[in-house]
Amino acid sequence: MQPHQLVLLTIITVLSTFATPLIKIFTTHSTIQVLAQAPNDRQAEASRLLDKANQQLNQSQFEDAINSFQQALKIYRAINDRNYEGITLQGLADAYSVLGKHKIAIDYYQQSLIIAKKAENISLEREALFRLAESYELIGNLNQAVKGYEQLLPFLAENSARYYGGTLGRFGNLLLKAGKLQESQIKLLGGIKVIEDGLKNIFADSELSDISRVFVRDRYEAPFITLQRVLVAQKKPETALETAEWSKARVLVELVASRLSQPDRKFEPPQPPKIKQIQQIAREQNATLVEYSIIHHPLLVKTPGKREWQESELYIWVVKPTGKIIFHSVDLTKLKDKNHLTLDQIVNKIITSNPHEWSKYLKQLHKTLIQPIAADLPKNPNEHIIFIPDDALFFVPFSALQDENGKYLIEQHTILTAPSIQVLSLTHQQKGKVKQAALKDVLVVGNPTMPKVSINDDEIPQQLEPLPFAEAEANNIARLFKTKAILGKYATKINILQRMKTARIIHLATHGWAEDQGGLGSWIALAPSNGDNGLLTAEEILSLKLNAELVVLSACKTARGSLTGDGVVGLSRSLIAAGTPSVIVSLWNIPDESTQLVMTEFYQHLQKNSDKAQALRQAMLSLIKQRYLPLSWAAFTLIGEAQ
């Protein structure tokens, strides 16, 4: 089988899942459905032939499949079964497409569309419209492809909203490819309004969970990415920045804003920020903001229905405290050509490779993420840079990125991160609320009596290993604040939860785990008691109301979780939503001993200078001077407010 044939077969199977059970034509289940619906001998024979055709198609017996489809089609026409006549026509079209005979395929798709309309089969009509538009694009007939999408989009908006976002992104890309930039922008903006209005109605249901809202929004990411491309092509990078912010961390923004709102007033979700607001946030933070957006370019394989989304460009905006905005675009296809790795794969190498091999990947990331903007960054190492990552870049240890001379970024700059620029505006408000609360307690927890844990449902629960260095770390920090650390059996979940409500600073030195599917199951280990399992989850933290100015999760992988369009759903996001303006978390498993060193240094510097970003920087510099590898210090990241 040729590669393009294998690809189409995969896509055909995927596309068939869009349909109702009536038209799931690529599974053996279709025979059972037809037999159950009509015992007629001729219909049963047609069903057998249709099933046989699908099997032949999946086994690359294309000519035999066409023959079986033709035989089935004759019977369905003879017995006037319009639904299965349309299904069989689509099967024939797919078979001819695999063979590269696209014009014949288009003819069969058109016949299928006519039948679908007569039979009032919405699913079949959607499939036919979609595949026709894609097929015209395949043969280079862009005008017909545009007409196809213009028919398809209103149909989806009315009957199949869940497919609207991705299809809108594809249509915008088609218009971009055709050089119709203004028309593409208009179509995308109009379509996005339909999406936003639809989401507003969906989200009006107060019973819809936070994570459900995140996953619903993720379905509609494509048109925002395409709109950024269209705006950059029109030399409107500032408007493209507004669009990037429009799609970032929207659910988190609404969640935090709702908790900051006055309870006696009707809550209105904040609008995405415009350029003036973005500039104001940079001034308010007195920091240089660096926002990234990874642009995935849809590639059209020479088979209908197939799209491969690949990293094509990296957009970078630098927003200076003065309000000046500088835009850069990086070609990511050259990065892959040179290194045989995508940006996402290079980031993952930081976790999966030997720490002694990290240097080459840290240098590659520096060259891609920092070198293009190096001249725009502050020269004073004490001035703040706040990175707003995108997608896999949330897992980048920015502090450890190395220039050509092997110098770490943290040696030149003071670094923070945030889920979006608008979230920074909200954490700034949280900081003011925390000051009003004027809490004084410092809660320090170390090495609780560990609970039994099973990461997978089929595993027998195993007790987590004790962390003696975490206990020493907690005692050291507690002495600095003239308080007593809560250790061992006293660090129960119920006890710590109660104390978190009145703490100004919360430091938890223990085990942690990040759930990469969903994120809200991520946990921090505390001592079990009264029947609870001792695990404080991200979902539980999400429901808390905290007034702490700083929470430090001195545990493994507490910065990780489920990667979404809303950022990383996990412990750090839940803490911000719960009211914490500054959170320190970790990107990977850190040696227990070096964690103790970093944290002790951090708090020693924090007592001298209330700037949390500066204190963390000095702690990292201390370990660099002692020749520790980035494994030991670079995992920690400060999210939110520096002061």
Side-chain angles (χ1 to χ4, degrees):
M1 188 190 301
Q2 295 298 309
H4 77 277
Q5 295 170 335
L6 178 62
V7 161
L8 180 63
L9 290 177
T10 303
I11 293 306
I12 287 170
T13 304
V14 171
L15 286 173
S16 69
T17 64
F18 288 175
T20 62
L22 181 62
I23 67 163
K24 286 186 177 177
I25 62 176
F26 295 105
T27 67
T28 56
H29 189 54
S30 60
T31 301
I32 298 169
Q33 289 174 315
V34 174
L35 288 173
Q37 291 169 1
N40 179 286
D41 288 344
R42 297 195 71 194
Q43 191 157 18
E45 173 62 13
S47 174
R48 185 190 65 77
L49 287 165
L50 182 59
D51 232 19
K52 181 181 177 182
N54 288 321
Q55 290 172 12
Q56 290 167 332
L57 189 58
N58 287 325
Q59 294 167 7
S60 306
Q61 299 168 8
F62 304 119
E63 296 296 345
D64 291 339
I66 288 171
N67 183 50
S68 297
F69 278 129
Q70 294 280 18
Q71 291 181 60
L73 182 62
K74 286 180 183 178
I75 297 174
Y76 284 131
R77 282 175 168 167
I79 63 176
N80 200 31
D81 189 330
R82 290 193 181 279
N83 281 315
Y84 274 92
E85 180 184 351
I87 290 167
T88 308
L89 285 165
Q90 282 199 7
L92 266 171
D94 292 335
Y96 278 111
S97 293
V98 175
L99 292 171
K101 298 179 180 180
H102 301 300
K103 291 185 178 179
I104 298 175
I106 286 171
D107 180 61
Y108 281 117
Y109 286 138
Q110 288 172 331
Q111 291 182 52
S112 177
L113 178 61
I114 292 168
I115 295 295
K117 288 180 177 179
K118 287 180 179 178
E120 297 182 348
N121 187 323
I122 291 173
S123 298
L124 189 62
E125 187 175 350
R126 178 185 65 232
E127 294 285 335
L129 285 168
F130 175 77
R131 298 191 195 191
L132 269 172
E134 291 282 273
S135 296
Y136 280 122
E137 189 174 356
L138 275 167
I139 63 173
N141 190 337
L142 299 188
N143 288 333
Q144 279 298 116
V146 167
K147 289 178 183 177
Y149 276 112
E150 285 176 339
Q151 278 185 282
L152 177 59
L153 282 169
F155 181 87
L156 292 179
E158 185 176 347
N159 300 293
S160 305
R162 64 179 297 189
Y163 308 117
Y164 187 81
T167 307
L168 177 64
R170 292 174 177 181
F171 186 31
N173 181 71
L174 174 65
L175 292 169
L176 175 60
K177 186 161 63 173
K180 300 179 178 181
L181 300 180
Q182 189 62 32
E183 187 177 345
S184 178
Q185 181 180 340
I186 292 169
K187 293 286 185 186
L188 286 164
L189 285 170
I192 288 172
K193 185 180 186 306
V194 172
I195 289 170
E196 291 291 337
D197 289 345
L199 290 176
K200 188 175 181 180
N201 291 332
I202 293 171
F203 292 171
D205 178 6
S206 59
E207 298 300 315
L208 195 65
S209 69
D210 173 69
I211 194 64
S212 296
R213 292 167 187 254
V214 170
F215 290 151
V216 168
R217 280 208 75 98
D218 272 4
R219 291 178 183 170
Y220 302 100
E221 190 177 10
F224 291 95
I225 294 173
T226 307
L227 182 56
Q228 289 176 56
R229 294 180 60 223
V230 170
L231 291 167
V232 168
Q234 295 181 85
K235 302 189 185 307
K236 299 177 180 177
E238 292 188 2
T239 313
L241 173 57
E242 292 176 348
T243 304
E245 273 290 301
W246 193 358
S247 64
K248 277 183 186 287
R250 297 310 308 158
V251 178
L252 178 60
V253 164
E254 291 189 15
L255 183 58
V256 176
S258 68
R259 294 184 175 187
L260 286 168
S261 64
Q262 297 294 329
D264 56 341
R265 295 182 184 176
K266 183 183 177 183
F267 172 68
E268 290 293 337
Q271 294 299 307
K274 297 296 185 182
I275 284 299
K276 285 187 177 180
Q277 293 167 283
I278 290 171
Q279 291 168 322
Q280 174 59 32
I281 292 167
R283 282 192 290 269
E284 188 176 78
Q285 292 287 329
N286 192 26
T288 298
L289 312 182
V290 178
E291 177 149 336
Y292 294 100
S293 184
I294 299 175
I295 303 301
H296 292 84
H297 190 95
L299 295 177
L300 191 63
V301 178
K302 294 298 180 181
T303 45
K306 172 62 182 173
R307 292 276 177 160
E308 286 183 355
W309 293 81
Q310 73 163 21
E311 297 172 353
S312 60
E313 296 166 279
L314 177 68
Y315 292 166
I316 314 174
W317 294 270
V318 179
V319 186
K320 301 180 81 65
T322 59
K324 183 179 180 182
I325 299 175
I326 308 111
F327 172 75
H328 298 269
S329 178
V330 178
D331 187 347
L332 293 181
T333 60
K334 291 180 180 178
L335 176 71
K336 186 176 180 182
D337 291 342
K338 184 176 180 180
N339 301 295
H340 307 292
L341 293 171
T342 64
L343 184 57
D344 177 59
Q345 289 168 336
I346 294 173
V347 173
N348 286 333
K349 284 287 185 182
I350 302 297
I351 302 298
T352 58
S353 65
N354 187 311
H356 292 278
E357 298 175 358
W358 284 12
S359 182
K360 64 180 177 182
Y361 302 118
L362 293 170
K363 286 181 178 179
Q364 286 172 358
L365 288 171
H366 186 283
K367 188 173 183 180
T368 303
L369 304 178
I370 304 301
Q371 191 171 303
I373 61 172
D376 305 318
L377 299 180
K379 301 298 182 283
N380 183 345
N382 294 318
E383 293 182 19
H384 297 159
I385 301 174
I386 306 177
F387 290 105
I388 317 294
D390 186 36
D391 203 40
L393 301 186
F394 276 101
F395 299 148
V396 169
F398 284 96
S399 297
L401 301 189
Q402 287 180 286
D403 63 18
E404 293 176 349
N405 300 317
K407 204 172 187 67
Y408 295 116
L409 193 64
I410 197 66
E411 296 182 81
Q412 301 166 297
H413 302 290
T414 301
I415 296 168
L416 304 88
T417 65
S420 75
I421 292 175
Q422 192 167 23
V423 167
L424 282 172
S425 173
L426 297 170
T427 56
H428 188 75
Q429 292 178 49
Q430 285 177 328
K431 183 173 71 172
K433 192 174 179 181
V434 165
K435 283 184 177 179
Q436 287 180 350
L439 300 179
K440 296 181 179 180
D441 292 352
V442 175
L443 173 62
V444 183
V445 178
N447 193 24
T449 299
M450 293 300 173
K452 290 184 177 180
V453 172
S454 58
I455 301 301
N456 300 313
D457 292 337
D458 57 347
E459 289 181 350
I460 298 173
Q462 301 288 328
Q463 187 162 20
L464 296 169
E465 292 289 327
L467 298 171
F469 283 102
E471 186 168 327
E473 170 189 328
N475 282 326
N476 289 342
I477 294 165
R479 277 194 293 270
L480 290 172
F481 288 103
K482 295 180 173 57
T483 189
K484 187 177 180 181
I486 302 175
L487 311 170
K489 65 181 182 180
Y490 300 104
T492 62
K493 178 178 172 180
I494 191 168
N495 182 22
I496 301 309
L497 276 172
Q498 189 63 33
R499 290 171 179 263
M500 286 173 72
K501 297 174 184 177
T502 59
R504 177 175 65 89
I505 293 176
I506 300 169
H507 182 94
L508 306 179
T510 180
H511 282 291
W513 178 75
E515 179 189 53
D516 58 9
Q517 297 296 322
L520 292 181
S522 304
W523 48 256
I524 282 286
L526 297 169
S529 67
N530 298 327
D532 72 50
N533 61 8
L535 302 179
L536 178 57
T537 67
E539 186 170 17
E540 290 171 306
I541 293 171
L542 195 63
S543 64
L544 298 179
K545 292 183 179 179
L546 301 177
N547 283 302
E549 69 175 61
L550 170 66
V551 175
V552 178
L553 300 184
S554 182
C556 297
K557 295 186 177 180
T558 50
R560 300 182 76 86
S562 181
L563 202 53
T564 72
D566 215 56
V568 179
V569 175
L571 293 161
S572 60
R573 179 180 181 276
S574 290
L575 285 166
I576 292 170
T580 310
S582 304
V583 178
I584 293 180
V585 283
S586 66
L587 289 165
W588 57 74
N589 295 335
I590 318 158
D592 197 14
E593 183 179 2
S594 55
T595 300
Q596 177 195 347
L597 292 173
V598 173
M599 288 293 109
T600 303
E601 285 277 348
F602 166 71
Y603 283 106
Q604 286 174 343
H605 286 286
L606 187 62
Q607 288 202 316
K608 299 173 188 174
N609 182 350
S610 63
D611 188 325
K612 302 172 188 71
Q614 271 294 333
L616 186 58
R617 176 175 184 261
Q618 292 303 321
M620 291 180 175
L621 292 178
S622 176
L623 268 72
I624 292 171
K625 288 175 185 175
Q626 297 174 59
R627 299 188 180 278
Y628 278 89
L629 292 173
L631 170 71
S632 298
W633 53 266
F636 291 106
T637 181
L638 172 59
I639 303 173
E641 298 295 304
Q643 294 286 349

